[in-house]
């Protein structure tokens, strides 16, 4: 009977979700095969924002590549800068001054908060609640104001330099950060009442798109996505770069690896980031912000892979130097790109309304996926 | 004679009497007099509807804006952007009317009309004030629900005819949703009808002269009504037919210009009708303090419900479609049956 | 039953938050009428400074031209024998390409190239985004 029905004109619907769609977070094209509202096959089609970043990097000096790195994951540029400077610094064995290291950590952690705030806001919109978006952006603006006072830009900071940071903190920065953290903590509770514990929100996210521990490892997830599945993997603890080993912070993990867990991991991570920033502010002492580095940067020939824990996951840069002013090869491991791959597995059997819930929960930035 | 403290309803009644006397003295037949009276009311109603839509769209913008820490429109027309909606309407009128190439042209054209006309008819039986009611039918409330269920047809037509997968999904969703939420909606009102013993709107209002039904066991019915009503007019958390993040804009994705305007207008008029019925059935309609004109107290109550619906919209996320069905059939429907049972017992005990 | 109450309570708490914000003054600004204060370090359009005598300080060392990742600065240099230093005969910045990374300002050895706090440089033609020396030297 069912076979008969299937042969008599019941067909799967192919739905092209994106690249122009309000909630594919940019220009992601999802090819969905659907049986009614249930998805039988999903294929993410990427490349609409490809700018050839890795090739461009081969024709730019090491210093200029930091400015380019702003454009990978454009809502967490500080972490990108971090990844971009670590490689040449290691190649040239530069010791970065302590003050610069703490400033870097403060910036990266504030950027983590800003990035997760965007996740919180856009995830609310994905689920259908518009108002949290505006609350999240109000907080994010405060971080951007702080960044603007330091480096003069609000989105593409280009703040880190090989051997330090480009400018010292202005006077109003430290009290500004302290005020922000005191202001931000109660707001997180507000978000919890507004969205995290909202029964409709939980209904949409709990148990949806669950990833098991093994799957998460198999698909090479990183960042909050793998931590939500219960794998305690965080580069800040597992391979401490910069001065992260000096700080006392927890790594929030989830249990089931569903959308709600991924969401909650990020919400808790914001609290931990605030703690790290506070500790870093205490340890901040006057001093140099730049190591002694030659004006023209020529790392010795060699190759190196450095990675940082970006808000989206493990952001790695593999660069080969041939001793000239430009990298010979510059490979970026974008966390969003790797995390996006599991989408095709997760979406099978879900409904179309879950597509946006799942896609939003893995928190991709198309600029980093395509590069 | 009329004087200041009398309300619009009394004025209307006085005008009708004067007109009847005039007609009697001139010997104009009853039929023509009746037609002129009703025609005048209909014209007044049309003006009222367009004004209501403008006010509600402006209100939606301002309420959403202030809940989201924004100002909303502030420039157009000077004072707090009061004429923004008018400007938008003009923009909609001037926009190109696009019909997709492979669309079912006639159905695509008719759909906005099919949704708009029933929502106009609903206004006829709403008692704005004493005497101020288009047609005080003895099946008043049935008429409203009967016609409002035509809206689902239109949304489905629009979704189907656009020949777009998103609109199709939106149309199918809305068909499922509106049909299943119609049941709790009507059943929740049934409690009030049982207490009053009449379907006539004026009887229902008069029955609440002393105490609003909101403060009787009908409170449960009110809650069910608000939830089901929100679903019926496709507003968040039940706005699945036009779920923006999933279906782009749902059934009206392929509409533009004036046709889109009709869909939008009918969304707001339907919201108004749902709120007006809530005000009539549970909050005493035009009953209110004696110093307040009836229409003012009626509109105040209606806009309170409208504000409540907007408040819902800008607070909650959206339900998923299967959960929506579960909620409707497995929770709301049994609850409304329970409500009827409770009201029946209450009515018996009161007697 | 308890579930229903906890659900309703959570929903009401959420509604209380939005209602609270309904009465709080909005945080947005009415942009063209009021503008927010911009940080003095803001990386806006470029400007060349003159020294105290009113002479141009730039000696055409071409460092900014070389360091620019998007090649938006171009200049022509001549040598003034009388003053025994070089000057730029033309200095053009294509703001259509500029990504405001600030590397040129950082690299300038004479500290004569600076950012302005200007962020409103929309134009109708792309050509007017190419600023020549008379507009940059202020």
């Amino acid at each position: 009977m069912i076979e008969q029905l299937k042969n008599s004109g019941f067909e799967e619907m192919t739905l092209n979700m994106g690249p122009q769609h309000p909630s594919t977070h940019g220009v992601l094209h999802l090819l969905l095969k659907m049986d009614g509202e249930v998805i039988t096959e999903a294929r993410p089609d990427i490349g609409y924002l490809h700018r050839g970043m890795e090739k461009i990097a081969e024709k730019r000096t090491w210093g200029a590549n930091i400015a380019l790195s702003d454009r990978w994951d454009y809502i967490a540029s500080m972490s990108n800068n971090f990844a971009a400077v670590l490689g040449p610094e290691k190649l040239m064995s530069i010791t970065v001054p302590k003050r610069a290291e703490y400033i870097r950590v403060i910036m990266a952690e504030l950027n983590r908060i800003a990035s997760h705030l965007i996740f919180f806001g856009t995830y609310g919109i994905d689920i259908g609640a518009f108002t949290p978006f505006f609350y999240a952006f109000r907080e994010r603006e405060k971080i951007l104001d702080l960044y603007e006072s330091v480096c003069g830009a609000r989105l593409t900071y280009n703040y880190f330099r090989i051997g330090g940071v480009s400018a010292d903190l202005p006077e109003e920065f430290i009290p500004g950060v302290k005020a922000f953290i005191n202001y931000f903590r109660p707001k997180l509770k507000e978000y919890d009442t507004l969205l995290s514990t909202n029964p409709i929100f939980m209904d949409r996210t709990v148990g949806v798109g669950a990833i098991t521990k093994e799957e998460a490892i198999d698909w090479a997830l990183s960042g909050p996505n793998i931590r939500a599945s219960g794998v305690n993997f965080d580069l800040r603890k597992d391979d401490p770069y910069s001065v992260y080993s000096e700080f006392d912070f927890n790594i929030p993990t989830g249990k089931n690896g569903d959308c709600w867990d991924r969401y909650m991991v990020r919400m808790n991570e914001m609290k931990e980031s605030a703690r790290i920033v506070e500790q870093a502010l205490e340890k901040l002492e006057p001093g140099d912000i730049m190591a002694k580095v030659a004006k023209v940067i020529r790392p010795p020939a060699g190759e190196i892979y450095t990675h940082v824990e970006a808000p989206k996951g493990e952001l790695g840069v593999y660069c080969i130097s041939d001793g000239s002013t430009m990298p010979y090869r510059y490979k970026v491991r974008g966390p969003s790109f790797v995390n996006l791959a599991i989408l095709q597995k997760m979406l099978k059997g879900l409904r179309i309304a879950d597509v946006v819930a799942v896609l939003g929960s893995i928190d991709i930035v198309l600029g980093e996926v395509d590069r | 004679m009329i004087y200041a403290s009398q309300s619009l309803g009394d004025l209307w009644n006085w005008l009708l009497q004067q007109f009847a006397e005039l007609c009697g003295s001139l010997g104009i037949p009853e039929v023509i007099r009746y037609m002129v009276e009703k025609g005048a009311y209909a014209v007044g109603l049309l003006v009222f509807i367009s004004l209501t839509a403008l006010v509600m769209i402006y209100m939606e913008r301002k309420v959403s804006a202030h809940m989201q820490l924004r100002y909303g429109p502030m420039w157009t027309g000077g004072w707090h952007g009061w004429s923004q909606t008018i400007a938008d309407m003009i923009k909609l009128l001037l926009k190109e009317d696009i019909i997709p190439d492979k669309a079912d042209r006639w159905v695509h054209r008719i759909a906005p009309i099919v949704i708009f006309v029933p929502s106009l008819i609903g206004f006829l039986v709403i008692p704005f004030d004493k005497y101020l009611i288009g047609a005080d039918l003895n099946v008043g409330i049935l008429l409203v629900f009967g016609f409002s269920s035509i809206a689902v047809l239109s949304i489905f037509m629009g979704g189907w005819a656009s020949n777009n997968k998103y609109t199709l999904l939106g149309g199918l969703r809305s068909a499922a949703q509106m049909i299943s939420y119609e049941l709790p909606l009507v059943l929740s009102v049934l409690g009030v009808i049982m207490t009053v013993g009449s379907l006539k709107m004026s009887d229902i209002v008069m029955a609440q002269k002393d105490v609003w039904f909101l403060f009787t066991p009908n409170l449960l019915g009110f809650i069910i009504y608000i939830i089901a009503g929100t679903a019926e007019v496709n507003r968040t958390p039940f706005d699945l037919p036009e779920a923006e993040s999933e279906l782009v804009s749902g059934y009206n994705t392929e509409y533009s210009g004036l046709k889109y305007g009709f869909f939008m207008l009918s969304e707001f008029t339907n919201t108004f009708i749902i709120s007006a019925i809530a005000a009539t059935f549970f909050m005493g309609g035009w009953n209110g303090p004696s110093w307040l004109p009836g229409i003012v107290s009626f509109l105040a109550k209606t806009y309170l419900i409208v504000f409540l619906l907007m408040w819902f919209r800008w607070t909650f996320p959206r339900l998923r479609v299967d959960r929506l069905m579960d909620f409707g059939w497995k929770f709301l429907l049994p609850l409304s049956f329970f409500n009827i049972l409770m009201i029946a017992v209450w009515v018996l005990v009161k007697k | 039953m308890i579930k229903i109450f906890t659900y309703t309570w959570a929903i009401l708490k959420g509604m209380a938050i939005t209602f609270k914000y309904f009465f709080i003054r909005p945080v947005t600004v009415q942009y063209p009428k009021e503008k927010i204060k911009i940080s003095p370090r803001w990386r806006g359009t470029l400007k060349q400074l003159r020294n105290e005598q009113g002479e141009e300080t730039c000696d055409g060392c071409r460092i900014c031209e070389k360091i620019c990742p998007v090649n938006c600065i171009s200049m022509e240099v001549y040598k003034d024998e009388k003053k025994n230093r070089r000057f730029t005969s033309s200095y053009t910045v294509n703001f259509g390409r500029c990504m405001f990374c600030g590397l040129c300002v950082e690299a300038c050895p004479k500290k004569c190239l600076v950012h302005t706090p200007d962020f409103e440089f929309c134009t109708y033609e792309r050509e007017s985004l190419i600023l020549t020396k008379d507009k940059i030297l202020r």
Side-chain angles (χ1 to χ4, degrees):
Chain A
M1 176 73 182
I2 294 166
E3 279 304 307
Q4 215 176 355
L5 276 176
K6 268 186 181 165
N7 296 335
S8 64
F10 276 86
E11 53 183 271
E12 280 186 338
M13 182 162 85
T14 315
L15 187 72
N16 285 299
M17 201 168 176
Q20 281 133 6
H21 187 278
S23 65
T24 48
H25 291 249
V27 283
L28 176 67
H29 177 198
L30 278 175
L31 245 166
L32 303 174
K33 285 232 171 74
M34 301 204 305
D35 177 17
E37 282 225 4
V38 182
I39 291 151
T40 52
E41 196 192 326
R43 213 143 52 85
D45 178 18
I46 59 167
Y48 289 90
L49 202 62
H50 179 65
R51 293 157 294 174
M53 279 291 190
E54 288 170 10
K55 192 70 195 168
I56 294 173
E58 290 169 18
K59 290 285 170 222
R60 297 286 180 278
T61 58
W62 290 93
N65 274 334
I66 299 162
L68 281 180
S69 78
D70 286 337
R71 273 91 183 155
W72 302 336
D73 174 0
Y74 37 75
I75 57 177
S77 300
M78 287 289 184
S79 305
N80 300 352
N81 284 354
F82 218 145
V85 295
L86 280 183
E89 271 171 11
K90 263 195 189 162
L91 276 176
M92 296 164 78
S93 36
I94 298 169
T95 344
V96 181
K98 271 279 157 172
R99 183 176 172 83
E101 292 276 30
Y102 288 125
I103 291 175
R104 282 180 176 186
V105 168
I106 292 170
M107 291 301 173
E109 293 306 317
L110 279 179
N111 213 169
R112 192 183 311 278
I113 294 176
S115 169
H116 286 347
L117 277 174
I118 285 207
F119 162 78
F120 168 76
T122 51
Y123 199 47
I125 284 194
D126 283 346
I127 300 292
F130 284 82
T131 311
F133 180 77
F134 291 89
Y135 298 165
F137 266 66
R138 171 191 54 180
E139 268 75 87
R140 183 169 178 268
E141 282 301 299
K142 290 193 194 301
I143 298 179
L144 295 192
D145 284 344
L146 290 170
Y147 281 162
E148 187 192 317
S149 73
V150 178
C151 61
R154 297 176 73 88
L155 196 67
T156 49
Y157 311 118
N158 189 23
Y159 179 57
F160 290 24
R161 292 289 178 274
I162 294 166
V165 291
S166 75
D168 205 349
L169 302 177
E171 259 175 46
E172 70 270 18
F173 182 79
I174 292 169
V177 172
K178 278 178 183 158
F180 169 75
I181 288 184
N182 289 337
Y183 161 87
F184 182 60
R185 285 240 167 85
K187 293 285 179 243
L188 273 172
K189 274 185 201 127
E190 210 165 74
Y191 295 162
D192 281 348
T193 37
L194 197 60
L195 208 57
S196 316
T197 55
N198 184 305
I200 301 174
F201 179 78
M202 289 181 74
D203 194 55
R204 282 292 298 274
T205 50
V206 173
V208 173
I211 311 173
T212 61
K213 230 174 183 175
E214 289 73 32
E215 277 172 358
I217 295 168
D218 286 351
W219 288 80
L221 297 189
S222 56
N225 295 324
I226 198 168
R227 290 198 281 276
S229 299
V231 185
N232 198 336
F233 171 71
D234 191 318
L235 290 171
R236 290 174 294 176
K237 286 264 192 210
D238 294 340
D239 181 15
Y241 52 97
S242 190
V243 283
Y244 271 110
S245 48
E246 295 177 17
F247 299 112
D248 167 41
F249 62 98
N250 303 324
I251 298 168
T253 49
K255 252 189 215 147
N256 309 321
D258 53 12
C259 288
W260 197 74
D261 274 354
R262 285 193 282 276
Y263 167 87
M264 274 323 274
V265 163
R266 290 193 176 90
M267 298 305 278
N268 293 330
E269 242 172 48
M270 285 202 264
K271 286 175 203 158
E272 297 302 321
S273 289
R275 271 181 68 198
I276 297 176
V277 171
E278 271 183 337
Q279 291 172 37
L281 282 178
E282 270 170 26
K283 293 186 178 177
L284 200 63
E285 277 166 10
D288 285 340
I289 52 157
M290 271 296 270
K292 290 257 178 294
V293 185
K295 272 239 154 115
V296 181
I297 289 159
R298 280 182 224 269
E303 54 189 88
I304 194 155
Y305 177 76
T306 47
H307 49 193
V308 298
E309 181 70 26
K312 310 278 185 303
E314 179 189 345
L315 175 65
V317 173
Y318 173 69
C319 44
I320 303 177
S321 166
D322 57 355
S324 73
T325 54
M326 294 171 198
Y328 176 76
R329 174 80 172 94
Y330 208 74
K331 162 85 178 92
V332 182
R333 182 213 189 266
S336 299
F337 173 69
V338 184
N339 291 346
L340 184 65
I342 201 173
L343 196 67
Q344 48 194 312
K345 188 177 180 311
M346 283 156 86
L347 285 185
K348 214 168 276 178
L350 295 181
R351 270 149 220 284
I352 185 164
D354 295 328
V355 174
V356 285
V358 170
L359 181 64
S361 77
I362 57 175
D363 191 20
I364 52 159
V365 167
L366 262 295
E368 193 179 53
V369 173
D370 294 342
R371 285 191 297 280
Chain B
M1 265 317 287
I2 45 164
Y3 45 93
S5 75
Q6 265 179 334
S7 70
L8 202 63
D10 294 320
L11 174 68
W12 174 248
N13 195 33
W14 179 78
L15 276 176
L16 284 187
Q17 279 167 11
Q18 297 294 312
F19 187 61
E21 274 176 32
L22 190 73
C23 290
S25 58
L26 291 177
I28 296 170
E30 192 84 337
V31 185
I32 294 179
R33 182 178 73 89
Y34 187 75
M35 280 168 77
V36 169
E37 276 174 10
K38 293 298 168 196
Y41 187 83
V43 169
L45 208 56
L46 274 176
V47 172
F48 175 77
I49 289 166
S50 29
L51 280 178
T52 307
L54 287 182
V55 169
M56 276 176 68
I57 295 171
Y58 181 72
M59 183 178 161
E60 173 100 299
R61 286 172 164 213
K62 280 296 183 188
V63 168
S64 70
H66 281 273
M67 278 183 176
Q68 298 167 344
L69 302 163
R70 299 180 287 126
Y71 284 101
M74 285 294 277
W75 287 57
T76 329
W79 184 82
H80 284 256
W82 64 271
S83 64
Q84 183 67 49
T85 14
I86 299 169
D88 280 349
M89 281 295 155
I90 294 168
K91 186 205 76 174
L92 274 182
L93 284 173
L94 296 177
K95 269 180 102 167
E96 189 192 352
D97 182 26
I98 300 165
I99 299 177
D101 202 26
K102 295 256 172 69
D104 192 338
R105 287 176 163 265
W106 273 107
V107 183
H108 191 267
R109 263 181 212 147
I110 292 168
I113 304 166
V114 175
I115 198 171
F116 192 58
V117 171
S119 69
L120 291 187
I121 289 170
F123 273 89
L124 275 181
V125 291
I126 288 172
F128 291 96
D129 201 345
K130 211 175 181 179
Y131 310 120
L132 208 62
I133 177 166
D136 199 3
L137 303 174
N138 53 1
V139 289
I141 186 67
L142 275 185
L143 187 88
V144 178
F145 287 135
F147 272 102
S148 78
S149 56
I150 293 180
V152 62
L153 192 67
S154 149
I155 289 179
F156 189 64
M157 276 161 73
W160 179 266
S162 299
N163 196 17
N164 178 316
K165 284 160 190 168
Y166 291 113
T167 61
L168 177 65
L169 280 172
L172 285 171
R173 274 183 181 188
S174 81
Q177 174 186 337
M178 290 173 89
I179 287 168
S180 36
Y181 275 81
E182 199 114 273
L183 291 167
L185 188 73
V186 177
L187 288 176
S188 66
V189 170
L190 210 58
V192 173
I193 294 167
M194 277 159 68
T195 12
V196 179
S198 167
L199 288 166
K200 213 168 171 177
M201 296 296 234
S202 53
D203 288 350
I204 291 161
V205 177
M206 289 311 286
Q208 300 179 75
K209 203 149 197 174
D210 303 322
V211 59
W212 296 357
F213 285 147
L214 193 57
F215 303 122
T216 63
N218 275 310
L219 174 65
L220 184 61
F222 177 71
I223 294 166
I224 297 169
Y225 178 86
I226 290 291
I227 295 172
T230 319
E232 190 66 16
V233 293
N234 298 332
R235 290 180 72 85
T236 322
F238 308 105
D239 64 338
L240 293 126
E242 43 197 307
E244 187 181 325
S245 55
E246 300 144 27
L247 299 181
V248 188
S249 187
Y251 58 90
N252 58 26
T253 305
E254 295 283 358
Y255 280 93
S256 70
L258 198 55
K259 285 183 198 153
Y260 172 75
F262 270 122
F263 274 116
M264 201 175 68
L265 210 62
S266 71
E267 187 194 322
F268 283 98
T269 48
N270 280 332
T271 313
F272 186 84
I273 288 176
I274 289 289
S275 315
I277 289 169
T280 314
F281 271 66
F282 299 99
M283 299 169 81
W286 42 261
N287 285 317
S290 55
W291 46 269
L292 210 62
I295 189 156
V296 174
S297 81
F298 173 79
L299 285 181
K301 286 165 191 168
T302 308
Y303 274 102
L304 197 69
I305 305 284
V306 169
F307 178 77
L308 193 68
L309 293 185
M310 287 177 184
W311 189 6
F312 283 159
R313 174 163 187 179
W314 299 109
T315 306
F316 296 137
R318 185 183 303 120
L319 280 164
R320 208 173 59 199
V321 65
D322 55 330
R323 294 308 210 147
L324 179 92
M325 291 294 142
D326 280 3
F327 184 69
W329 289 101
K330 291 183 188 162
F331 178 73
L332 223 48
L333 197 62
L335 197 67
S336 45
F337 279 128
F338 170 73
N339 177 45
I340 290 172
L341 203 70
M342 196 180 70
I343 298 293
V345 171
W346 179 62
V347 169
L348 275 181
V349 167
K350 216 170 62 165
K351 264 181 189 164
Chain C
M1 203 62 191
I2 297 163
K3 216 172 154 190
I4 295 171
F5 278 116
T6 49
Y7 274 24
T8 323
W9 181 239
I11 278 179
L12 287 178
K13 271 203 296 190
M15 284 173 73
I17 286 176
T18 41
F19 196 64
K20 188 182 90 191
Y21 280 119
F22 186 64
F23 296 104
I24 285 180
R25 205 180 151 71
V27 291
T28 51
V29 287
Q30 297 293 307
Y31 161 58
K33 273 187 194 165
E34 44 178 313
K35 287 172 185 171
I36 44 171
K37 220 180 109 235
I38 279 182
S39 147
R41 294 189 184 178
W42 177 256
R43 302 206 300 250
T45 46
L46 295 173
K47 173 169 97 165
Q48 265 189 25
L49 296 178
R50 292 171 190 274
N51 62 9
E52 289 94 43
Q53 286 83 41
E55 279 179 333
E56 53 182 290
T57 330
C58 176
D59 64 350
C61 63
R62 288 183 185 273
I63 284 181
C64 51
E65 192 183 9
K66 272 178 209 144
I67 205 159
C68 181
V70 288
N71 305 330
C72 70
I73 303 176
S74 59
M75 62 176 89
E76 274 165 33
V77 185
Y78 69 94
K79 190 158 186 189
D80 193 334
E81 297 292 342
K82 241 186 266 171
K83 288 180 181 162
N84 198 22
R85 56 168 282 197
R86 286 172 304 174
F87 282 100
T88 52
S89 58
S90 79
Y91 190 91
T92 319
V93 182
N94 182 353
F95 282 104
R97 295 187 72 159
C98 179
M99 59 182 196
F100 302 97
C101 61
L103 288 176
C104 49
V105 172
E106 225 176 285
C108 185
K110 296 269 176 190
K111 303 276 172 231
C112 66
L113 191 66
V114 292
H115 286 295
T116 61
D118 179 23
F119 60 94
E120 296 161 310
F121 36 84
C122 302
T123 54
Y124 283 103
E125 299 101 30
R126 280 193 182 185
E127 283 73 34
S128 42
L129 280 172
I130 302 170
L131 296 193
T132 45
K133 194 180 171 183
D134 52 318
K135 280 185 188 144
I136 287 170
L137 186 67
R138 275 181 276 177

